[in-house]
Amino acid sequence: MPFIYCMESSVSPPDAGEECATQLGIAWQPLSHCANSTEGNHLEHEAGLATEALDPPHNFVPWVTLNGKHTDAIQQQAETNLLKLICDTYTGERPIACG
């Protein structure tokens, strides 16, 4: 989320990727390669199709869905403490990040 926030806060988000990655200690080359690759284009297209298929349709971004559902409660919980929401909802083996 900090990377996305950094880019979205920029005057020119498409040009901010490398600077944001550097600030956050993220390797820029793999991100840039993916974003400019056929696979990256395919993934972006698939995300667009999923966005268009949302029910209810999204009204803003980020429009948080959890297990394919969006509610005001999910949105509020995600904005307040996304990690807790995911940890409380995840049904697999508990990840280390969830404590």
Side-chain angles (χ1 to χ4, degrees), residues 10 28 30 42 54 56-57 63-64 79 94 96:
S10 170
W28 171 243
H42 173 75
L54 288 171
W63 184 261
V64 178
E79 291 174 8
R94 193 162 182 85
I96 293 170

Side-chain angles (χ1 to χ4, degrees), residues 12-67:
S12 178
D15 299 324
E18 186 169 10
E19 182 178 335
C20 290
T22 300
Q23 287 176 8
L24 296 165
I26 298 170
W28 171 243
Q29 187 57 36
L31 294 175
S32 177
H33 176 75
C34 178
N36 294 297
S37 70
T38 302
E39 180 183 16
N41 185 53
H42 173 75
L43 292 170
E44 188 170 7
H45 177 73
E46 291 297 315
L49 292 175
T51 299
E52 289 298 317
L54 288 171
D55 184 22
H58 77 290
N59 295 321
F60 52 85
V61 291
W63 184 261
V64 178
T65 62
L66 187 60
N67 295 327

